Amino acid sequence: MHPVLVTIVKRLLLGVVTLFVVSAIIFSSISLLPGDFGEAVLGQAATEDTVAAFRKELGLDKPAPARYLDWVKSVAKGDLGTSFSGRSASGQDRSRSVAEMIAPRLKNTLFLASVTALIAVPLALFLGLTAALYRNSWYDRSVNVTTLTTISMPEFFVAYVLILIFASLWKVFPSLATVDIDMAMGERLNRIALPAITLTLVIVAHMMRMTRAAIINLLASPYIEMARLKGASRSEVILKHALPNAWAPIATVIAFNLAYLVVGVVVVEVVFVYPGIGQLMVDSVSSRDIPVVQACALIFAGTYILLNLIADVIGIVTNPRLLHPR
Amino acid sequence: MTDSTDLPEGYSASAEVGALRQRRSRAERSWLALKKAPLSAWFGMIVVAGYVFVALFAPWLAPYGEAQIFATPFAPWDETHRFGTDQIGRDILTRLIYGARNTMGIALVTTLLSFLIGGGLGLVAAINRSWLDQFLSRAVDVLMAIPSLIFALVLLSIFKPSVVSLILIIAVLDSTRVFRLTRAVAINVAVMDYVEVARLRGEKLGWVMKNEILPNIMPPLVAEFGLRFSFVFLTIAALSFLGVGIQPPTADWGSMVRDNASLIQFAQYDLKAGITPLLPAAAIGLLTVAVNFVVDWFLHKTSGLRDEQ
């Protein structure tokens, strides 16, 4: 087998193992709950029988490894369990299934994330390339200072400054990003403009700086000097000679930053009251609705692991040293 | 041969050379380094010093008590309340000043704890390189595969949010990154001959860690401390902003932003009111920028490390 394939298969297996260990950790968190949490969920008036039935439904009477296997099986079937909310002391059960709660919100979050990625990635590449091209000019410096500042700012600060300027003082965009399914596309885009801009500002900075660093690093290579010596123009050197070799680091940077988007989306969704799974997760943490928290954490962690995996695989595949071993 | 007598009695050439080579004291050397520090580093240091001053002397600087409630909630800016009052009528300026103490104090304790755990284990792993190293490194790999904000949210849903559980959770999650760095830099030092000599001399693990390895890996660790501090600080602020971090009535910048956020809607009628929720957020951002400037300069100084070029 080709050595690159071996490396990729190894990396994929490692990813699968990580995913299982991570799911086991997230799952075992429910075992850490204090003994009286049944009462906390069902209310003070819950009878012994109701609490016992509730514990049995969660499978707390079975040993932990057996419970984990059951859980993995049902997750694989798309059944993420039932929410803790909507249960009452009398044993009446109005709770909803977690999958049903998450599905529409997951779509919303993916929509926001993909719109952000569509704006942020080309913008970051353009800024990084031009900053590398006109290195040490006023343009490069001002782009650098601006991005350094946005990196250090908390997401909610950026978000509220944008709300203050674009929603409160100068009413261009709505400050609340409430969307629903039957809204027209244009209206939806208008609603999510501010959250998407916030997320873009946060991740463009990293991507742009790392693109610039990757290109500048390459410009020090002998073959670039050769290209210059034979009289190629500046943009030709960058676009034709440097860029093809910079794709690997740039792709890695993009994947890592999209993974970072996973975390950023939580805070931004709360600021703009956007009905995505980040907001659902925070609400469930406050109300201690553990099954929902677990499901959301699993989705976030899974996406994060997957994106990092893709980044690594791209890094392996595009590495000339690995592709042409001696 | 004539004896030249121009030189004073008791002159020795080596003494004169020795006098010139006299080492400068630590304070003199630091002052020389400071004088050469760039403007951004000075700005950062002055800002950090200002924050520390406010945090230490909060009870004397604040005009009112931390949780003192006044009659008018959301009062406008005036002489009695410089930045107005919050949603239940507490003075914003006072809360900002006490917030410096609480937010920074908690972040500092958390960072120290995470360095104690991560740094200690990292050193042990680097020296011992056995199954323990393997085990710790793999465990850290897995923990780092989950975004720390998400992991913190899961843990906070199980343990009730309190200052102690917040500090413990963030410290443990953050110690993974400290472990990685400490192990990586300590491994290079642990193979040095003088470490080998110390071990052959029969010194204990703790002694070798403290006296042979730690002094040689200090600069990257100090820089990392600054970066980790700002990261922990931002994480705690974000969690408090989400309402699952520092709980009321403790004044803290993250939850202040959340509590006063609705004021932003009134910016067109009263710009000052609109800016109020941004004050604590700006306080968070300014400190992070300042710490980053100082760390940047420190890294330049100690390792000659320059970003690209």
Side-chain angles (χ1 to χ4, degrees):
Chain A
M1 205 154 60
H2 197 280
V4 173
L5 271 180
V6 179
T7 328
I8 292 177
V9 169
K10 266 192 201 158
R11 184 64 190 84
L12 287 177
L13 282 179
L14 186 67
V16 172
V17 171
T18 318
L19 197 60
F20 267 99
V21 180
V22 165
S23 73
I25 292 177
I26 291 175
F27 168 76
S28 61
S29 59
I30 201 165
S31 321
L32 290 172
L33 281 172
D36 60 342
F37 85 97
E39 238 172 60
V41 172
L42 299 173
Q44 292 287 329
T47 57
E48 298 263 314
D49 290 352
T50 345
V51 174
F54 176 54
R55 293 183 70 87
K56 189 159 185 212
E57 190 201 316
L58 290 179
L60 286 179
D61 49 346
K62 281 189 248 169
R67 261 189 293 144
Y68 175 64
L69 281 182
D70 286 351
W71 185 67
V72 170
K73 265 186 226 153
S74 52
V75 167
K77 274 187 258 160
D79 173 15
L80 293 162
T82 342
S83 159
F84 277 1
S85 64
R87 288 168 196 267
S88 61
S90 56
Q92 213 176 24
D93 194 352
R94 264 189 239 102
S95 56
R96 299 161 63 198
S97 94
V98 176
E100 196 182 296
M101 287 168 78
I102 284 184
R105 283 167 172 267
L106 184 61
K107 269 186 214 142
N108 284 342
T109 297
L110 286 178
F111 180 62
L112 175 61
S114 30
V115 170
T116 308
L118 279 179
I119 309 172
V121 172
L123 184 66
L125 289 185
F126 173 78
L127 287 177
L129 272 176
T130 42
L133 197 59
Y134 305 104
R135 185 146 61 108
N136 291 333
S137 65
W138 64 267
Y139 170 74
D140 180 27
R141 290 212 184 114
S142 54
V143 168
N144 250 324
V145 170
T146 322
T147 51
L148 229 154
T149 326
T150 49
I151 284 179
S152 320
M153 293 296 167
E155 288 100 346
F156 53 85
F157 179 64
V158 179
Y160 280 125
V161 170
L162 289 177
I163 293 186
L164 179 69
I165 299 171
F166 294 109
S168 195
L169 290 180
W170 182 32
K171 296 185 182 301
V172 204
F173 296 117
S175 65
L176 294 185
T178 42
V179 293
D180 53 65
I181 304 160
D182 14 86
M183 217 174 250
M185 195 60 176
E187 177 63 18
R188 275 179 87 170
L189 284 175
N190 183 37
R191 290 281 173 96
I192 68 158
L194 284 183
I197 295 171
T198 310
L199 283 170
T200 305
L201 282 178
V202 174
I203 65 169
V204 152
H206 259 121
M207 277 197 276
M208 172 264 149
R209 287 177 73 82
M210 286 166 91
T211 309
R212 176 179 175 272
I215 301 269
I216 285 178
N217 221 352
L218 276 173
L219 290 182
S221 332
Y223 66 85
I224 298 292
E225 198 173 353
M226 178 64 210
R228 277 215 192 101
L229 288 176
K230 76 180 189 201
S233 75
R234 219 172 161 165
S235 54
E236 207 181 347
V237 169
I238 292 212
L239 294 176
K240 266 185 154 175
H241 298 264
L243 198 56
N245 289 290
W247 281 125
I250 291 176
T252 321
V253 170
I254 291 176
F256 281 141
N257 280 287
L258 292 185
Y260 180 76
L261 198 62
V262 168
V263 184
V265 95
V266 176
V267 174
V268 170
E269 278 181 9
V270 172
V271 173
F272 292 98
V273 204
Y274 183 75
I277 65 169
Q279 203 204 19
L280 178 67
M281 183 171 184
V282 173
D283 288 348
S284 313
V285 170
S286 308
S287 61
R288 311 187 73 193
D289 192 346
I290 311 292
V292 182
V293 175
Q294 279 183 329
C296 294
L298 199 66
I299 293 173
F300 278 127
T303 321
Y304 191 77
I305 292 173
L306 191 72
L307 284 168
N308 278 319
L309 190 69
I310 294 174
D312 279 2
V313 171
I314 292 177
I316 296 168
V317 170
T318 50
N319 187 337
R321 286 188 198 88
L322 283 174
L323 283 177
H324 307 286
R326 280 179 213 214
Chain B
M1 257 168 82
T2 50
D3 214 2
S4 84
T5 49
D6 309 3
L7 294 168
E9 203 60 33
Y11 171 81
S12 107
S14 61
E16 189 182 334
V17 174
L20 276 178
R21 278 179 46 211
Q22 195 176 44
R23 273 179 78 86
R24 293 190 176 96
S25 74
R26 188 175 270 266
E28 280 173 317
R29 270 180 291 144
S30 335
W31 176 242
L32 275 178
L34 271 184
K35 271 203 295 194
K36 275 186 277 177
L39 207 63
S40 64
W42 270 107
F43 166 77
M45 279 184 284
I46 291 170
V47 170
V48 172
Y51 272 74
V52 170
F53 177 79
V54 170
L56 287 179
F57 299 101
W60 291 277
L61 292 171
Y64 306 105
E66 182 178 354
Q68 199 177 335
I69 296 172
F70 294 89
T72 33
F74 289 136
W77 296 19
D78 56 27
E79 277 81 52
T80 43
H81 302 293
R82 176 92 359 244
F83 294 135
T85 58
D86 69 1
Q87 85 282 10
I88 58 168
R90 290 170 300 196
D91 184 55
I92 299 268
L93 178 63
T94 310
R95 305 279 291 170
L96 274 177
I97 291 173
Y98 274 99
R101 166 179 269 204
N102 298 327
T103 318
M104 282 172 68
I106 290 171
L108 190 66
V109 173
T110 310
T111 320
L112 284 174
L113 191 63
S114 86
F115 266 76
L116 209 65
I117 303 172
L121 290 179
L123 279 178
V124 172
I127 299 176
N128 144 311
R129 307 297 310 272
S130 61
W131 60 268
L132 184 71
D133 179 24
Q134 278 298 319
F135 171 75
L136 286 174
S137 303
R138 293 296 82 74
V140 163
D141 283 349
V142 171
L143 285 184
M144 284 176 74
I146 311 176
S148 59
L149 186 72
I150 302 297
F151 207 170
L153 280 175
V154 172
L155 291 175
L156 282 169
S157 68
I158 292 159
F159 306 105
K160 281 219 171 72
S162 72
V163 168
V164 177
S165 58
L166 190 68
I167 289 178
L168 287 177
I169 289 171
I170 310 277
V172 169
L173 292 181
D174 209 55
S175 66
T176 53
R177 278 146 222 274
V178 183
F179 172 87
R180 275 253 176 113
L181 179 85
T182 316
R183 182 179 168 277
V185 287
I187 272 181
N188 293 329
V189 177
V191 293
M192 292 285 179
D193 289 343
Y194 56 83
V195 179
E196 180 91 37
V197 169
R199 301 191 74 182
L200 289 177
R201 210 159 60 213
E203 303 289 4
K204 294 223 169 56
L205 179 70
W207 195 91
V208 176
M209 272 163 63
K210 186 170 134 284
N211 291 308
E212 303 287 355
I213 299 186
L214 200 54
N216 290 300
I217 59 168
M218 254 347 229
L221 283 192
V222 172
E224 182 71 4
F225 189 86
L227 292 180
R228 297 281 25 120
F229 173 79
S230 44
F231 188 79
V232 164
F233 182 72
L234 282 178
T235 312
I236 291 180
L239 286 173
S240 303
F241 171 75
L242 295 175
V244 294
I246 302 171
Q247 298 295 313
T250 313
D252 123 273
W253 292 336
S255 35
M256 281 178 77
V257 179
R258 173 197 179 83
D259 292 342
N260 297 302
S262 53
L263 277 178
I264 241 169
Q265 304 301 334
F266 305 108
Q268 47 178 336
Y269 310 113
D270 179 4
L271 186 62
K272 286 174 183 170
I275 290 174
T276 310
L278 292 180
L279 293 174
I284 295 167
L286 183 64
L287 180 65
T288 324
V289 174
V291 171
N292 276 328
F293 277 158
V294 178
V295 169
D296 228 37
W297 167 68
F298 185 82
L299 275 177
H300 250 259
K301 279 265 13 113
T302 52
S303 58
L305 191 91
R306 277 153 214 281
D307 67 328
E308 67 256 6
Q309 314 239 346

